C-alpha cells in the first residue's frame, strides 16, 4: 500500500510505501514505485506518525468482560491510533502466570487489530505477600505490576526488586500507600514513589512508574534519574487535562491541582517524563455509581494531548510522537515499532490536526462510556490507523 499526500511531524510532504508489513520507502512523490495491483490511500494532507503504543491499558479479560472485552478493546485501540497495548493484570482471576498471559496475547493477535503484551502480577493473586510465582516465570515475561494497588509491604517489594534484578524484569508500579490514601492521596503517592525509586536504585532493577500525578513524585523521579537510577515514568492524558477544580470524577490517582499539572508539563519539556499512557479503565455505569475509579482513554488520548501539549503549551508534535510511540516502544523492547523509518513495521496513524472535533461518549468503540471528556472540543483527530500495512481503522 502507498500512502500518498501526507505530511510528517515537521509538516513536510511525505508518502509512505508499505510492503509485507514493513515500511519499504519514505519520501515525497513515491508514486513511480507503485507496482500494479498495489493499493493507495490518499492522506489528503493529513499528518502521518508512527502508530501509538499504550503502556497502560485495562481490557478486563478475564472476568470483567461486561466492561470491555478483547474485541471491543482492540477496536477502541485502533480507533485511537494504537497498534500495541500493554495490558494490566487486575482481572478476575488476577493474571499471575505466564501461560494465561500468553493465551490471552494469542487471542488478541487473532483479532488482528492491535498487538498486546499481558503483564503479570507482582504478588500472586494480588495477595500482597507471595512472590513464589516470580521465581518460576519464564524469560518471556518481562513486565510485572500490581496496578490498581501498590504493594504495601516494603520487605515484599524489596524482595520483588531483588528477584526482578536477577531475572531482568521491569516493575511497573502503581505507587499508592493504601493506609494513607484514604486521608492524604498526595502523600500516599509521593511516599511510595520515593520508596520504589530507592529500591530501583538499590537493586539496580528497572522500574517504570505508572500514572505519575504530583509535583512531589515527578521531582523525585527527576532526582533518581539524575543519580542514574534505571527508571522511566508515564503520565496520563487526564492528569494533564483536568484539575480537581475542573473535574469531580473518581480516578486513581485522583486529578490534582493546577501546580501539579504545571509540574507534569515541565517534566515533559525536561525529558523527565518518558511516555504518555492512557490508563484506559472501562467501567459500566452501574459500577461507576458504586464508586469504581477510572475512565476510558484510548480514543481521546491523542486529541487531549495534542490540544493540551502542542496547541496550548507549544510542545513540538515530534516530542508528543516520541511520548506516545517511540519511547513506549523502547520501554517495552518492541524492535521495529514506534518509528517511521525504512524497514520498520508499517504501523502508522493518520491524524487531522486542523479541524476541531467534539468528543461524543456514545460514539466510542469501547464497551464502556465512562468518559468525562464527553462534549469537549479537541484538536487532533485520528483519521486512520494502519497495522502491518493493513488498515485497522478508518474514520467515516
Ligand atoms: O482509576 C483507576 N482505575 N486507577 C487504577 O489504577 C486502576 C484502574 C482500574 O482498573 O479501573
Ligand atoms: Zn491502571
Amino acid at each position: 500500500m502507498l500512502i500518498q499526500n501526507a505530511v510528517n511531524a515537521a509538516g513536510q510532504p511525505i508518502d509512505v510505501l508499505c510492503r509485507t508489513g514493513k515500511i519499504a520507502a519514505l519520501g515525497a512523490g513515491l508514486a513511480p514505485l507503485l507496482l500494479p495491483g498495489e493499493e493507495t490511500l490518499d492522506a489528503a494532507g493529513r499528518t502521518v506518525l508512527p502508530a501509538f503504543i499504550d503502556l497502560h491499558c485495562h481490557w478486563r479479560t478475564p472476568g470483567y468482560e461486561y466492561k470491555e472485552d478483547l474485541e471491543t478493546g482492540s477496536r477502541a485501540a485502533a480507533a485511537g491510533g494504537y497498534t500495541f497495548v500493554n495490558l494490566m493484570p487486575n482481572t478476575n482471576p488476577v493474571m499471575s502466570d505466564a501461560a494465561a498471559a500468553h493465551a490471552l496475547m494469542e487471542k488478541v493477535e487473532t483479532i488482528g487489530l492491535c498487538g498486546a503484551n499481558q503483564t503479570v502480577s507482582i504478588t500472586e493473586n494480588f495477595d500482597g505477600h507471595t512472590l513464589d510465582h516470580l521465581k518460576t516465570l519464564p524469560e518471556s515475561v518481562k513486565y510485572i505490576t500490581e496496578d490498581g494497588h501498590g504493594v504495601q509491604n516494603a520487605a515484599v517489594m524489596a524482595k520483588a526488586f531483588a528477584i526482578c534484578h536477577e531475572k531482568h524484569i521491569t516493575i511497573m508500579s502503581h505507587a499508592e500507600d493504601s493506609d494513607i490514601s484514604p486521608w492524604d492521596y498526595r502523600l500516599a503517592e509521593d511516599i511510595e514513589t520515593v520508596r520504589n525509586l530507592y529500591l530501583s536504585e538499590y537493586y539496580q532493577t528497572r522500574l517504570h512508574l505508572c500514572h505519575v500525578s504530583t509535583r512531589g513524585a515527578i521531582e523525585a523521579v527527576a532526582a533518581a534519574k539524575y543519580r542514574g537510577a534505571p527508571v522511566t515514568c508515564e503520565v496520563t492524558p487526564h492528569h494533564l487535562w483536568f484539575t480537581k477544580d475542573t473535574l469531580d470524577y473518581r480516578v486513581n490517582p485522583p486529578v490534582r491541582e493546577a501546580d501539579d499539572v504545571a509540574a507534569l508539563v515541565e517534566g515533559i519539556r525536561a525529558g523527565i517524563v518518558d511516555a504518555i499512557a492512557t490508563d484506559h479503565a472501562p467501567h459500566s455505569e452501574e459500577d461507576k455509581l458504586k464508586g469504581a475509579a477510572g475512565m476510558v482513554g484510548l480514543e481521546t488520548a491523542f486529541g487531549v494531548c495534542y490540544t493540551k501539549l502542542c496547541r496550548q503549551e507549544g510542545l513540538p508534535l515530534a516530542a508528543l510522537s516520541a511520548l506516545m510511540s517511540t519511547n513506549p516502544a523502547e520501554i517495552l523492547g518492541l524492535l521495529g515499532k514506534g518509528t517511521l523509518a525504512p524497514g520498520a513495521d508499517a504501523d502508522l496513524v493518520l491524524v487531522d490536526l486542523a479541524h476541531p472535533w467534539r468528543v461524543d461518549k456514545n460514539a466510542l468503540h469501547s464497551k464502556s462510556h465512562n468518559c468525562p471528556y464527553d462534549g469537549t472540543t479537541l484538536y487532533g483527530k485520528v483519521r486512520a490507523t494502519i497495522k502491518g500495512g493493513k488498515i485497522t481503522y478508518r474514520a467515516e
Side-chain angles (χ1 to χ4, degrees), residues 177-257:
D177 183 317
S178 55
D179 291 327
I180 298 178
S181 54
W183 47 276
D184 189 340
Y185 210 127
R186 175 179 300 278
L187 180 61
E189 177 171 345
D190 291 356
I191 204 163
E192 214 168 283
T193 299
V194 169
R195 182 198 73 183
N196 292 349
L197 288 168
Y198 187 86
L199 289 172
S200 165
E201 204 175 339
Y202 187 80
Y203 286 106
Q204 288 295 305
T205 300
R206 268 187 63 185
L207 168 67
H208 175 79
L209 288 149
C210 296
H211 43 52
V212 175
S213 73
T214 66
R215 178 176 285 280
I218 207 77
E219 287 178 354
V221 173
K225 284 192 166 193
Y226 181 74
R227 290 193 303 272
V231 167
T232 54
C233 75
E234 70 189 34
V235 300
T236 72
H238 48 274
H239 290 112
L240 292 166
W241 186 262
F242 297 113
T243 65
K244 69 186 227 269
D245 298 328
T246 60
L247 183 73
D248 180 12
Y249 200 81
R250 201 149 173 245
V251 58
N252 288 333
V255 296
R256 303 288 190 180
E257 313 272 347

Side-chain angles (χ1 to χ4, degrees), residues 262-273:
L264 300 183
V265 174
E266 282 162 34
I268 285 172
R269 281 193 222 284
I272 301 304
V273 174

Side-chain angles (χ1 to χ4, degrees), residues 66-102:
Y66 68 96
K67 299 175 193 254
E68 192 82 287
D69 59 39
L70 302 180
E71 189 87 43
T72 56
S74 294
R75 270 191 259 129
Y82 288 86
T83 54
F84 198 92
V85 296
N86 189 44
L87 296 172
M88 297 295 115
N90 58 341
T91 50
N92 187 13
V94 171
M95 278 285 174
S96 294
D97 74 278
H102 285 127

